[in-house]
């Protein structure tokens, strides 16, 4: 478990692939109620988790307005990388979905749960596999999850599944839908030693 004053990251080791292995929760103050929560199952690929942890470590983009329903501006910001990559956009009742051209990955937004921001319900589902109801791996996020964090995950998903060309300065990896799960390496700094 990693804890800061307002961000907690919990990793449950040896979790079955379809159960929650990672939980990220953010708080406005050290003693406030939870602002937002994001979970990732045990099969989530290491590159996706590494991008998530890197974004959290950067500490920028905390653009959440607590308790406000997700509006079009926040939804567009979160999904823009998918639209830019040419992913199929559909609306089916309460669900808004962006699906990769090959149908093996997507992002789903639940407009119904978004209207209940104080309940931290899973409003966003980022998935890869046969579909959002039977994913190989999935990340879920509550309504108040920062749109910059969701956009970063959308960018990773769009880029990593091979639907976009490699960008300069960014390593190209493909096939996150078929990639075996692995946790990113977590390293701790060692204290400096005065003797050898």
């Amino acid at each position: 478990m990693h804890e800061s004053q307002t961000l907690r990251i919990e990793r449950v080791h040896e979790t079955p692939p379809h159960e929650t292995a990672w939980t990220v929760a953010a708080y406005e103050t050290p003693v406030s109620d939870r602002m937002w929560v994001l979970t990732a199952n045990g099969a989530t690929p290491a590159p996706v988790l590494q991008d998530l942890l890197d974004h959290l470590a950067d500490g920028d983009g905390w653009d959440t307005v607590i308790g406000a329903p997700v509006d079009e501006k926040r939804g567009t910001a979160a999904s823009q990388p998918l639209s830019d990559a040419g992913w199929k956009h559909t609306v089916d009742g309460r669900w808004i979905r962006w699906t990769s051209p090959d149908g093996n990955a997507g992002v789903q937004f639940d407009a119904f749960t978004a209207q209940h921001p104080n309940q931290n319900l899973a409003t966003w589902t980022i998935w890869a596999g046969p579909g959002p109801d039977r994913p190989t791996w999935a990340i879920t996020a509550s309504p108040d999850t920062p749109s910059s964090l969701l956009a970063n995950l959308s960018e990773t998903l769009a880029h990593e599944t091979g639907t976009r060309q490699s960008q300069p300065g960014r390593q190209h990896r493909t096939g996150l839908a078929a990639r075996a799960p692995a946790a990113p390496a977590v390293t701790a700094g060692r204290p400096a030693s005065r003797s050898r």
Side-chain angles (χ1 to χ4, degrees):
M1 175 178 279
H2 163 75
E3 258 183 76
S4 75
Q5 293 293 314
T6 57
L7 182 68
R8 294 183 181 102
I9 302 171
E10 180 182 39
R11 164 77 162 114
V12 179
H13 296 276
E14 300 180 24
T15 303
H18 295 290
E19 292 184 20
T20 299
W22 292 84
T23 302
V24 178
Y27 302 82
E28 186 174 21
T29 69
V31 294
S32 69
D33 290 333
R34 188 165 55 188
M35 289 188 332
W36 57 266
V37 62
L38 179 142
T39 65
N41 71 14
T44 305
V48 175
L49 293 169
Q50 189 65 56
D51 283 352
L52 169 65
L53 295 174
D54 288 346
H55 184 84
L56 293 170
D58 288 344
D60 62 349
W62 299 97
D63 58 356
T64 301
V65 177
I66 301 167
V70 179
D71 60 12
E72 186 176 344
K73 181 180 177 183
R74 283 177 54 200
T76 299
S79 63
Q80 191 63 50
L82 305 172
S83 298
D84 292 347
W87 285 33
K88 182 179 176 184
H89 176 253
T90 59
V91 178
D92 181 17
R94 67 191 258 185
W95 310 105
I96 300 172
R97 292 186 185 104
W98 295 264
T99 309
S100 65
D102 64 6
N104 289 328
V107 173
Q108 177 173 273
F109 173 74
D110 183 341
F112 177 76
T113 61
Q115 300 310 309
H116 305 283
N118 296 327
Q119 296 180 12
N120 284 319
L121 300 171
T123 301
W124 296 92
T125 302
I126 300 166
W127 59 272
D133 298 326
R134 296 182 354 252
T136 302
W137 63 266
I139 293 173
T140 62
S142 65
D144 286 332
T145 303
S147 57
S148 62
L149 175 58
L150 293 167
N152 184 53
L153 290 169
S154 293
E155 174 70 26
T156 298
L157 186 64
H159 179 76
E160 304 300 330
T161 57
T163 59
R164 294 181 61 141
Q165 295 299 315
S166 182
Q167 297 174 352
R170 184 162 182 181
Q171 182 182 0
H172 182 68
R173 298 176 298 248
T174 59
L176 287 183
R179 191 175 291 244
V186 178
T187 58
R190 293 182 142 182
S193 174
R194 293 179 189 237
S195 62
R196 288 191 171 230

